Each structure stands twice: as C-alpha cells, then as structure tokens.
Amino acid sequence: MLVGTWNVGGKPPNEGLNLRDWLNSSTPIDIYVLGFQEIVPLNAGNVLGAEDSGPAAQWLSLIHQALNTDDVDSPTSNNQRQAPQKPRHSFSDLLALEDDTGNGNTRVFPTYCLAASKQMVGIFLCVWVRADLYKHVSNLKVSNVGRGVMGFLGNKGSVSISMTLNQTTFCFVCTHLTSGEKEGDEVKRNSDVSEILKKTRFSHSCKATTGALPPPPETILDHDKVIWLGDLNYRLSTGCGETYELLRRNDWQALLEKDQLKLEQRAGRVFKGWEEGRIEFAPTYKYITNSDHYVALTSNLKPSKEKRRTPAWCDRILWRGIGMKQMWYVRGECRFSDHRPVYSLFSVQVELANKNRATTNSNIAAPAKPAIDTALSSLCAAKIQAEELLLREETIDTSPFSNCN
C-alpha cells in the first residue's frame, strides 16, 4: 500500500505535471491512498460558497493517467501490464490463487480503478485499488469534520474514508490542521485531532448484522488499521537563528528534537499509541514556489513576497494497527507548490475470507449511478448502502475512473 500526502498550495494541476515519479514504485502496489490539501485557494468564496470540484477532477484524471499508462517503450498496451518474470508478492496474488482456473495462460496484471474519493473545500482524499482486487472491497463510507473558521467550516479539518478489504477494516484520514507558528498554536492542532477523532462517524442504516459478520466500524479507532495523513502543520519550537544554522548543516535529527508533533506525542497530549516512521528527509515547508530555497533563508538570495515561515515538517503520515510495517518514508522533490509531497510504502497483513465468502463477494459490481429505489432502503446489503451513500455525498463524477467490472 502506497500512501501519499501533498499540500498543493491552492493551484490546479497543469497539463505538464507528471505524477509518475511520485506514484510509480518498483514494489508491486495493491492500493494507493492519496491525500491533498489546498486543491483550491482557501478564500471566502471557496469556504462559504458552492464547492469547486473542477480541480479535484483534474487531479483524478492525472492520477488515473499515471497509474494506468505504461511507459512509452513498453510493448504492452495502455490497458494492461504484462507480468514481469520475477514473481510479485502482493495481496492480489494471494487472492488470485483462490480464483486460479488452471488454464496455464500468461498472467496479465490489470489497471487501477478509483474505489472512493471525497472533497471538503481544499481537502481531497482518494483511494485507488487494483481492478482485480476491487471485488474484495466493501462497506465504503466517507465522513467529513470541519475545523476551520468558527470551529466548523471546511477550510481546515478532515476527510475520512472507511472500507473493508476482505475481513480487515481500514480507515484513511486526510487532514489539514490549524496553521500558525506562534506559541500555543500546537495546542489548537492537538484540539483538532481530538475533535476529529470524536466527531468522525461512519453511518450505517442497518444496525443488525447478517450471519457471523461483525458490525462495520463507526469511528476511526474502531478500525483494524488506520492511516492518518496530511498537512498537520506542526512546527519547530526552536528559535529562528538556531533553526537556520541547523538547516544549513542539514542536521535533521537535531531539528527533530524540537519538532512539535514529536514533543506533543511524547508528552501524551496527542496521537497516543500511534506510530510514525523515522524522518530522514529535509523539512517539507515552506519553499519559494518553483525553487529549492526555503522562504526563511532567501534574504541574501533574492526578494520574496512569500510569507516568512520557519521551515518545518508539516506534512506527515502516521498509523496504528497490528500487522502494519512501514517499508520506507520519503519526500518528493516536485517544486509545484510551497510544500514538498511526502509518501510512504506499507506492507499490510490482511485477513482473508474463506473461499465460499470470497466467491460470493466476487459477484459484486463496481459502483454505478443507480436509480433511487425505495425497496433498497430495507435491505442490509452493505455494498449497496455504501454505493448509495457515496453517490449522495460525492460532488465529483468518478464514473470514468471506477469501471472495475
């Protein structure tokens, strides 16, 4: 599973923006979880007015192209990728063993499709799965929590997606927390985390469960495995002069001793019981756009109209749950915004359903826009409920990216 987060600075993507360097991996990927912040400018019109879904659709199109287009020199088609000679060890391969018909044909790897996406003002989260894995995904739900203006508007807050993969429940939480580097601002960010954990709810219209299946999770912490990603906005508590000297020496470990998130977590005031990988990359914020220079260090280089901010590791990925191992935790070097993207690869253990149940679930089709049928409201089919909920709440037409039949 590859997880990525990027604050794109309120700019729509341009046609020349190539996401392949960010998304491609030599390791086989079953699921992509991609979160963005500030996909639209956080002005009054976007915060108080109708949601602008245009940039989100543009990002989806770029991601779809990056995940499903082979290299120019590849002999395979744009719709399918030929299996390499070296065996791939991934969750999809294990499931394929159950469905193997023994026909001896050369295995061809499918493309990726969009399982779910959700936008709240500038926060945008999308989950992509391999098409052959999609039939094992169920109970898709979304939930938003606003923590911005007046404590509830959507310029800050969270977008969360809940889903079940076979018999393992996942929750992905994409957040943009309170900004600012004044003393005490970290307390506001701690409060954001607490309120998001408290207020995020995944509604289920049918409380009763069928057979031996447990009820779907309703809160973030009810899930087996949770990944929290985004612009958490935690800064450095050290003085400016000391920070700049450590930056010039590339002494990341000394700087991290002053990282607010690590200090608050060690003190038990936030993210108690959560894990984060070792950070071995430079602070991801704040850069002059289209440059490798931090805004705070440009006084001797060239004039800048950017707000002066002390560099910090604002963009983070944390997780909790048994059977999760982080393989790497790195940042990208795209100069598109004043933040650098951050991404991480996870190896995740998933509980497989028994063969009979897997066969039953394999008949579930990809989401389509069904006509509203009052008879459906009495059914307890989790897949149908998830599709209807997403279609009612979704502001983006995801049909071009979700054809996983």
Side-chain angles (χ1 to χ4, degrees):
M1 177 187 297
L2 190 143
V3 179
T5 178
W6 195 6
N7 184 319
V8 294
K11 299 191 302 181
N14 53 58
E15 293 183 359
L17 186 62
N18 186 356
L19 299 183
R20 290 190 189 180
D21 291 341
W22 184 32
L23 301 180
N24 284 359
S25 171
S26 58
T27 303
I29 306 296
D30 290 317
I31 300 173
Y32 284 88
V33 180
L34 304 176
F36 298 85
Q37 304 81 45
E38 295 191 46
I39 63 168
V40 298
L42 300 184
N43 53 41
N46 285 325
V47 174
L48 300 174
E51 192 162 80
D52 180 6
S53 61
Q58 290 177 273
W59 284 109
L60 286 177
S61 180
L62 279 177
I63 295 167
H64 181 267
Q65 181 180 6
L67 295 182
N68 294 308
T69 302
D70 290 315
D71 294 334
V72 175
D73 296 331
S74 174
T76 57
S77 70
N78 286 341
N79 294 323
Q80 292 181 319
R81 301 175 183 179
Q82 190 72 25
Q85 296 298 317
K86 184 178 179 180
R88 295 173 64 124
H89 303 287
S90 69
F91 179 67
S92 296
D93 295 330
L94 297 177
L95 295 175
L97 294 177
E98 293 184 347
D99 301 328
D100 187 11
T101 59
N103 55 20
N105 293 335
T106 301
R107 187 173 171 206
V108 177
F109 289 97
T111 55
Y112 294 88
C113 60
L114 180 64
S117 69
K118 184 60 182 174
Q119 176 183 358
M120 181 181 72
V121 189
I123 305 172
F124 180 58
L125 177 63
C126 56
V127 178
W128 299 75
V129 300
R130 284 173 54 167
D132 56 337
L133 183 63
Y134 183 82
K135 62 186 177 182
H136 301 281
V137 174
S138 61
N139 295 326
L140 284 164
K141 302 287 182 181
V142 296
S143 178
N144 298 343
V145 175
R147 290 292 297 163
V149 179
M150 296 184 289
F152 65 87
L153 293 184
N155 55 306
K156 294 292 192 295
S158 67
V159 170
S160 302
I161 293 177
S162 169
M163 75 177 203
T164 301
L165 177 57
N166 247 273
Q167 296 190 68
T168 300
T169 58
F170 289 84
C171 185
F172 309 114
V173 186
C174 179
T175 60
H176 193 185
L177 305 185
T178 299
S179 61
E181 55 183 45
K182 299 189 302 294
E183 184 177 354
D185 284 341
E186 70 276 13
V187 178
K188 298 177 183 178
R189 292 184 269 274
N190 293 350
S191 178
D192 288 342
V193 173
S194 177
E195 289 299 303
I196 289 168
L197 288 169
K198 184 187 304 181
K199 294 181 178 179
T200 299
R201 288 291 184 273
F202 301 101
S203 60
H204 298 277
S205 58
C206 181
K207 295 294 183 181
T209 58
T210 58
L213 292 177
E218 293 190 1
T219 70
I220 292 173
L221 299 182
D222 287 343
H223 292 76
D224 298 323
K225 306 179 194 302
V226 186
I227 294 180
W228 190 300
L229 61 147
D231 181 357
L232 276 59
N233 254 322
Y234 285 93
R235 309 302 173 92
L236 298 178
S237 62
T238 186
C240 294
E242 183 182 357
T243 299
Y244 301 158
E245 179 58 30
L246 293 174
L247 281 169
R248 289 188 176 94
R249 287 162 30 195
N250 293 340
D251 193 345
W252 312 139
Q253 296 312 308
L255 277 174
L256 282 166
E257 292 178 3
K258 302 295 184 179
D259 176 69
Q260 287 180 346
L261 176 54
K262 292 190 176 297
L263 292 172
E264 294 298 302
Q265 192 175 17
R266 288 192 200 110
R269 291 188 286 265
V270 72
F271 287 118
K272 188 175 182 179
W274 293 71
E275 298 183 66
E276 184 183 19
R278 181 179 174 87
I279 295 176
E280 296 181 330
F281 49 85
T284 57
Y285 173 85
K286 174 180 172 90
Y287 284 90
I288 296 177
T289 305
N290 295 320
S291 84
D292 291 323
H293 302 300
Y294 291 108
V295 170
L297 302 180
T298 57
S299 58
N300 296 327
L301 295 174
K302 59 181 179 179
S304 172
K305 296 181 180 179
E306 302 270 6
K307 293 181 180 179
R308 302 186 71 82
R309 292 287 186 267
T310 303
W313 286 275
C314 291
D315 310 279
R316 313 288 275 266
I317 299 172
L318 296 90
W319 77 92
R320 61 176 290 149
I322 299 173
M324 300 182 67
K325 180 180 180 181
Q326 188 180 60
M327 309 304 291
W328 38 258
Y329 188 27
V330 297
R331 71 173 220 172
E333 297 303 330
C334 182
R335 301 169 176 174
F336 178 75
S337 82
D338 56 356
H339 289 250
R340 292 293 192 262
V342 171
Y343 50 110
S344 179
L345 180 69
F346 290 91
S347 173
V348 182
Q349 294 178 4
V350 175
E351 183 180 357
L352 296 178
N354 61 55
K355 187 172 181 64
N356 291 335
R357 184 173 295 155
T359 302
T360 301
N361 288 343
S362 67
N363 295 322
I364 298 174
K369 290 193 174 181
I372 300 300
D373 186 346
T374 56
L376 292 179
S377 61
S378 62
L379 297 178
C380 294
K383 188 69 177 181
I384 295 175
Q385 292 172 2
E387 290 173 6
E388 290 183 346
L389 179 62
L390 283 171
L391 290 169
R392 285 197 300 268
E393 295 185 346
E394 201 62 72
T395 59
I396 303 167
D397 181 9
T398 60
S399 55
F401 314 108
S402 57
N403 184 16
C404 298
N405 292 319

